[in-house]
Amino acid sequence: MSGPLDGVVVLDMSRVLAGPWAGQLLADLGARVIKIEHPERGDDTRGWGPPWLDGEHAAERQAAYYLCANRGKQSLAVDIATPDGQALVRELAAGADVLLENFKVGGLARYGLDPARLRERNPRLIACSITGFGQDGPYAHRAGYDFMIQAMGGLMSLTGESDGMPMKTGVAITDVMTGLYATIGVLAALHERRRTGRGRHIDVALLDVQLATLANQALNALVTGQDPHRHGNAHPNIVPYQAFACADGHLVLTVGNDTQFARLADLLGHPDWAEDPAFATNAARVGNREVLVPRIAEALLAGERDAWLTELEARGIPAGPINTLTEVFADPQVRHRGLCREVTDGERRIPQVANPLRFDGDSVTSELPPPGLGQGSDAVLAELGLSADDIARLRRAGVVR
């Protein structure tokens, strides 16, 4: 089934997560994505295991990390350090709509494959460059990795217990968000090109994205001129909005307004809390969290988690369990929405997490599996007009795999 981006051709010259995440999303939306990889090394994440899909000793094992961000693509394994390899990429770029790349600033220029050079031949090309710090500025030359950017960009200062070490998030969230912003930029440029006939060079930096996604915490700092404190599993602006222990586990309360708090107070046997000026409004509760939160915690600790969740749901008080990932994938809502998918590659069944976008009720998740290294080389090169003998010659020379 064709998608909204059917007919769009993307060259994905990115590695690791932010760029490949954008490429996978574009593939899910119907674009043809050709992943350009080194013939020997391939994408770095191919080796980022365990765990491996086919086990530790499989001949062509694939890391779960690689499988999370490369669905729906073809792999063209080509050495861009060679003149023949550069010529192949230039030919592909001449007919492409989008280029994704995350080389260091100027890294592609030494191969003659930088966005400016490629757009001279194909002015309609939309080039999206993803770097740690952007195309200019005093840090532009530096490499950037998610963990480092979470630290430099302030996210770690906000994450963790108030008296503990600053913490990173459990997934590379800055990379993922950068991939989403890159995709938004590409889609906007594709829309604009319908009017102008020309492409764009999009500059997306992990540090920029990290700051842009600090949301309320960024404004908390800008409004007050003070650094926000870490609150662990609590919220700096809303109370009660945090994790609590029960007799047999943990749950999360996300009370978003005063009406919900009144219902919670009644459930916990303290309806007077909702009338107390110290707790009646959210602003008051934030100012008096040190008094209120221990009272809530004491009440919840007296009951079992699932019993509390049933009562909270019945009263329209937002709450939920703290699930492990295996529990998440077994959850009836997750199963109903079909978020755990499989794609097939021959006899292999490869697990995937579905794209969350639905169009007219249908998921846009690509059915094409993450490709093996060079799995699409012959098909892509044949479309460029190369004969079987030409491809064999390039393969013998180590230009392609």
Side-chain angles (χ1 to χ4, degrees):
M1 183 173 61
S2 63
L5 296 183
D6 187 34
V8 172
V9 177
V10 179
L11 293 189
D12 184 354
M13 297 185 71
S14 64
R15 307 168 303 286
V16 187
L17 188 53
W21 196 264
Q24 178 171 269
L25 181 49
L26 294 170
D28 281 345
L29 292 171
R32 180 188 182 190
V33 179
I34 302 171
K35 183 177 179 67
I36 307 297
E37 301 187 78
H38 190 278
E40 296 178 3
R41 299 187 299 273
D43 190 312
D44 297 1
T45 60
R46 288 184 181 274
W48 283 11
W52 313 96
L53 175 64
D54 296 318
E56 183 72 25
H57 304 293
E60 194 171 341
R61 63 189 184 184
Q62 290 184 319
Y65 202 119
Y66 167 77
L67 297 174
C68 85
N70 290 286
R71 175 179 62 237
K73 305 176 187 181
Q74 293 177 287
S75 172
L76 171 59
V78 55
D79 186 355
I80 64 171
T82 65
D84 285 337
Q86 294 160 15
L88 290 174
V89 173
R90 277 194 290 268
E91 187 66 24
L92 285 168
D97 298 289
V98 178
L99 168 72
L100 297 174
E101 63 95 1
N102 65 347
F103 284 72
K104 289 183 181 180
V105 173
L108 281 175
R110 60 177 174 158
Y111 306 118
L113 300 176
D114 52 296
R117 198 85 57 89
L118 296 179
R119 292 182 66 222
E120 287 176 0
R121 184 175 176 187
N122 179 7
R124 292 176 55 82
L125 182 67
I126 295 163
C128 181
S129 296
I130 299 172
T131 57
F133 299 96
Q135 296 296 301
D136 49 43
Y139 299 165
H141 65 284
R142 297 186 184 181
Y145 288 88
D146 178 279
F147 187 11
M148 181 176 72
I149 300 298
Q150 286 195 39
M152 294 181 67
L155 181 59
M156 287 183 64
S157 77
L158 306 172
T159 309
E161 296 296 337
S162 60
D163 57 351
M165 179 180 289
M167 297 292 290
K168 69 178 180 64
T169 60
V171 297
I173 194 65
T174 310
D175 272 343
V176 171
M177 293 299 296
T178 300
L180 295 177
Y181 270 95
T183 303
I184 292 169
V186 166
L187 295 177
L190 284 169
H191 178 76
E192 181 190 52
R193 194 181 67 179
R194 297 172 60 187
R195 174 171 51 85
T196 66
R198 297 186 63 83
R200 290 273 199 166
H201 183 199
I202 303 166
D203 173 8
V204 187
L206 270 69
L207 182 63
D208 297 358
V209 170
Q210 179 63 91
L211 265 66
T213 53
L214 291 177
N216 60 296
Q217 291 283 42
L219 268 293
N220 289 346
L222 291 174
V223 166
T224 65
Q226 299 178 354
D227 292 326
H229 298 294
R230 291 193 301 280
H231 290 279
N233 284 319
H235 196 288
N237 304 107
I238 311 172
V239 173
Y241 199 101
Q242 64 185 78
F244 289 95
C246 303
D248 61 344
H250 294 81
L251 59 76
V252 163
L253 274 180
T254 54
V255 173
N257 58 54
D258 299 337
T259 301
Q260 292 172 358
F261 176 72
R263 293 200 292 265
L264 173 67
D266 185 64
L267 170 63
L268 298 181
H270 294 278
D272 54 295
W273 290 351
E275 304 298 328
D276 189 333
F279 308 139
T281 66
N282 181 68
R285 292 192 294 275
V286 170
N288 293 287
R289 72 167 75 224
E290 290 80 5
V291 176
L292 176 62
V293 168
R295 296 183 185 181
I296 297 173
E298 181 181 8
L300 290 173
L301 193 59
E304 295 183 348
R305 185 194 72 169
D306 290 348
W308 280 125
L309 290 172
T310 298
E311 294 293 335
L312 291 162
E313 171 69 18
R315 289 165 171 77
I317 303 167
I322 300 177
N323 288 328
T324 66
L325 293 191
T326 53
E327 289 171 334
V328 171
F329 287 120
D331 185 275
Q333 179 67 18
V334 172
R335 293 172 65 87
H336 174 82
R337 297 287 288 179
L339 289 167
C340 186
R341 293 289 190 90
E342 284 187 337
V343 295
T344 58
D345 185 8
E347 295 183 355
R348 292 197 313 169
R349 304 180 70 84
I350 302 173
Q352 292 282 283
V353 178
N355 188 310
L357 295 174
R358 291 189 177 196
F359 287 76
D360 298 324
D362 295 324
S363 171
V364 294
T365 306
S366 173
E367 297 295 333
L368 293 177
L373 180 59
Q375 191 172 358
S377 294
D378 286 0
V380 173
L381 295 175
E383 290 178 14
L384 289 178
L386 275 69
S387 67
D389 289 341
D390 292 333
I391 297 172
R393 175 182 59 81
L394 293 172
R395 188 165 279 126
R396 286 194 300 272
V399 176
V400 300
R401 172 172 174 166

